[in-house]
């Protein structure tokens, strides 16, 4: 059985056709419409229609507080797709395409993928930390994905990082622990214009080549991320934290996160290293599915919803 998969981000929609064994038959990406929901839904429908006779339905991963059972976006999400808030995206897409549709929050999709088929298999308490335009993720407690009453569990972007600067929007995980934050910091360090072309690949090309400025920025970025991993681990007693997003495929990122956690979080702990080592020390690993975790999770969530035996 095949399913049409959409992974919607703030800037692009990645799509593929996959079967229930996670074999991929086609994939690509297009810009995410930012003007209206009808344009957004029709864009998805146009990608679906050539495959309507070969797929069982549509699995959709997207940002926001997602009521997956009812297919409704309750809030949050990327600014470019704010038109989805408060609307039944799933039922509307199902009506337009004439097929089954299941929608899932992108971070929770990644957590489902990693828990059931990836790096978090067998974990009781764990987390996925998806580093992208913002910071998404999912929390696993007692072996189960946590959604929350209002579907906001795991929405790390909204977490404030400094009580002394509550009104400063830059003191948030979205503005300190995202790929956007990493690239902005690199532009500043290199004294580049704010709109200078830059992406994760260019940054890590420089970092992997040993450029001092890139390594300095990466060190500071990993410290910001590690502080939040520490906070989550103290709160939830996490066994593992799986890092997702496009840059999660960079071994240097995972290596630096692990080293900084050891050298600065533990050895540099304000209450002393001995106290720090008495607290949970999660294993930091890349998502098994890296940047494809959202798509894999959307597929698994679809199968769980419509075909629980699979």
């Amino acid at each position: 059985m095949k399913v049409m998969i959409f992974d919607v981000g703030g800037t692009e929609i990645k799509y593929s056709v996959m079967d229930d064994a996670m074999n991929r038959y086609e994939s690509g990406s297009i810009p995410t419409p930012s003007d209206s929901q009808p344009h957004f839904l029709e864009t998805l429908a146009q990608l679906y229609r050539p495959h309507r006779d070969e797929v069982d339905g549509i699995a959709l991963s997207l940002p926001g507080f997602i009521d997956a059972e009812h297919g409704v976006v309750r809030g949050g999400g990327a600014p470019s797709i704010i038109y989805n808030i408060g609307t039944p995206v799933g039922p509307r897409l199902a009506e337009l395409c004439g097929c089954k549709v299941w929608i899932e929050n992108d971070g929770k999709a990644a957590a489902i993928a990693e828990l059931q088929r990836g790096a978090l298999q067998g974990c009781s308490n764990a987390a996925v930390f998806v580093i992208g335009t913002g910071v998404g993720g999912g929390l696993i407690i007692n072996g189960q994905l946590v959604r929350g009453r209002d579907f906001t569990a795991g929405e790390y972007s909204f977490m404030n990082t400094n009580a002394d600067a509550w009104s400063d929007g830059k003191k948030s995980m979205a503005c300190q622990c995202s790929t956007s934050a990493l690239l902005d910091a690199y532009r500043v360090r290199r004294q580049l214009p704010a709109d200078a072309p830059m992406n994760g690949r260019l940054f890590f090309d420089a970092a992997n080549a040993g450029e001092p400025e890139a390594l300095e920025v990466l060190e500071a970025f990993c410290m910001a991320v590690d502080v939040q991993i520490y906070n989550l681990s103290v709160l939830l007693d996490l066994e593992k934290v799986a890092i997702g997003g496009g840059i999660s495929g960079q071994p240097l990122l995972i290596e630096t996160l692990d080293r900084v956690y050891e050298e600065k979080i533990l050895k540099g702990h304000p209450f002393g290293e001995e106290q720090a080592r008495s607290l949970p020390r999660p294993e930091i690993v890349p998502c098994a599915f890296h940047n494809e975790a959202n798509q894999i999770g959307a597929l698994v969530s679809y199968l769980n919803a419509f075909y629980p035996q699979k």
Side-chain angles (χ1 to χ4, degrees), residues 124-230:
S124 177
N125 286 13
V128 166
F129 199 101
V130 181
I131 300 174
T133 305
V135 186
L139 299 172
I140 308 300
I141 304 298
N142 295 328
Q144 301 292 321
L145 174 72
V146 178
R147 294 184 181 277
R149 181 195 65 180
D150 300 302
F151 316 104
T152 65
E155 292 291 331
Y156 309 140
S157 278
F158 293 88
M159 292 176 64
N160 193 288
T161 59
N162 192 333
D164 295 329
W166 172 252
S167 61
D168 183 355
K170 293 182 179 179
K171 300 295 185 179
S172 67
M173 284 181 67
C175 293
Q176 292 186 334
C177 302
S178 62
T179 303
S180 303
L182 174 68
L183 301 182
D184 286 346
Y186 184 57
R187 289 188 186 95
V188 170
R189 182 65 184 84
R190 289 289 309 279
Q191 298 183 326
L192 299 172
D195 59 352
M198 183 56 58
N199 57 41
R201 182 176 294 106
L202 291 172
F203 173 82
F204 276 97
D205 283 347
N208 283 312
E211 180 190 284
E213 294 89 347
L215 293 176
E216 177 185 319
V217 169
L218 180 61
E219 185 94 359
F221 174 77
C222 286
M223 181 61 181
V225 172
D226 276 336
V227 167
Q228 302 312 319
I229 290 175
Y230 166 84

Side-chain angles (χ1 to χ4, degrees), residues 194-262:
D195 59 352
M198 183 56 58
N199 57 41
R201 182 176 294 106
L202 291 172
F203 173 82
F204 276 97
D205 283 347
N208 283 312
E211 180 190 284
E213 294 89 347
L215 293 176
E216 177 185 319
V217 169
L218 180 61
E219 185 94 359
F221 174 77
C222 286
M223 181 61 181
V225 172
D226 276 336
V227 167
Q228 302 312 319
I229 290 175
Y230 166 84
N231 286 337
L232 288 172
S233 297
V234 171
L235 183 66
L236 301 171
D237 194 7
L238 301 179
E239 302 155 48
K240 283 186 181 182
V241 174
I243 307 298
I247 63 175
S248 67
Q250 292 285 342
L252 182 60
L253 173 68
I254 307 301
E255 292 167 9
T256 307
L257 283 170
D258 198 60
R259 177 179 56 76
V260 168
Y261 201 99
E262 181 70 21

Side-chain angles (χ1 to χ4, degrees), residues 46-61:
Q46 288 177 6
L47 292 169
Y48 162 78
R49 289 180 184 124
H51 304 282
R52 61 172 32 160
D53 294 331
E54 63 174 316
V55 301
D56 183 72
I58 294 172
L60 177 64
S61 159

